[in-house]
Amino acid sequence: MTELDQLPTTDSGHVVKQQAMKWMEGLDEPSDEELKDAVIPKPSDFSGSKYPTEISTVRITGTPEFIEAAGALLKPLLDFEDDTTRVEVNLQRTEDRDTGELTDNYALYLSIAERG
């Protein structure tokens, strides 16, 4: 059981901000291998929403500088690109919902999928 599993949550499943901050402060940066070992790839025959599953998916949004800094932390995941798994990457500028215009910010979506 992880420390995260032991944090108290509200009735809706949220961890209170103060508890989440304390938890994050106590985290050690994982080694490349520890990060890769924590990944659960998406099965090749999977369809539907990944949100309620154990499938490992990363979504990061923000300025180009933030995307580059956070993306650099995820470089070990690129090693999943091989004969059995592939890296799914979607990197795009974000769109203003009100105007439909592209913003100067980006969204990076990253997941690992089994090859079918």
Side-chain angles (χ1 to χ4, degrees):
M1 178 177 284
T2 67
E3 187 178 330
L4 177 57
D5 290 322
Q6 297 173 27
L7 293 178
T9 60
T10 65
D11 290 341
S12 63
H14 289 86
V15 176
V16 177
K17 178 182 175 182
Q18 182 179 9
Q19 290 288 334
M21 297 277 286
K22 184 177 177 182
W23 167 76
M24 288 179 69
E25 288 172 359
L27 292 175
D28 294 325
E29 186 172 330
S31 69
D32 291 359
E33 283 305 311
E34 289 171 324
L35 177 60
K36 290 188 281 189
D37 287 346
V39 170
I40 297 175
K42 178 177 77 171
S44 61
D45 60 348
F46 184 84
S47 65
S49 173
K50 294 179 276 188
Y51 189 70
T53 70
E54 292 181 343
I55 296 169
S56 304
T57 303
V58 177
R59 179 178 78 176
I60 303 169
T61 59
T63 64
E65 294 82 6
F66 178 71
I67 298 299
E68 287 184 359
L73 298 172
L74 302 173
K75 286 193 305 187
L77 299 181
L78 300 179
D79 291 342
F80 277 100
E81 187 74 24
D82 61 23
D83 294 340
T84 60
T85 55
R86 61 190 170 86
V87 178
E88 294 181 336
V89 177
N90 181 353
L91 178 61
Q92 63 190 46
R93 288 185 50 198
T94 58
E95 184 178 292
D96 184 294
R97 288 185 181 177
D98 294 331
T99 67
E101 299 284 325
L102 291 178
T103 71
D104 292 333
N105 293 328
Y106 282 81
L108 170 64
Y109 299 86
L110 180 78
S111 62
I112 309 304
E114 295 174 347
R115 292 194 184 269

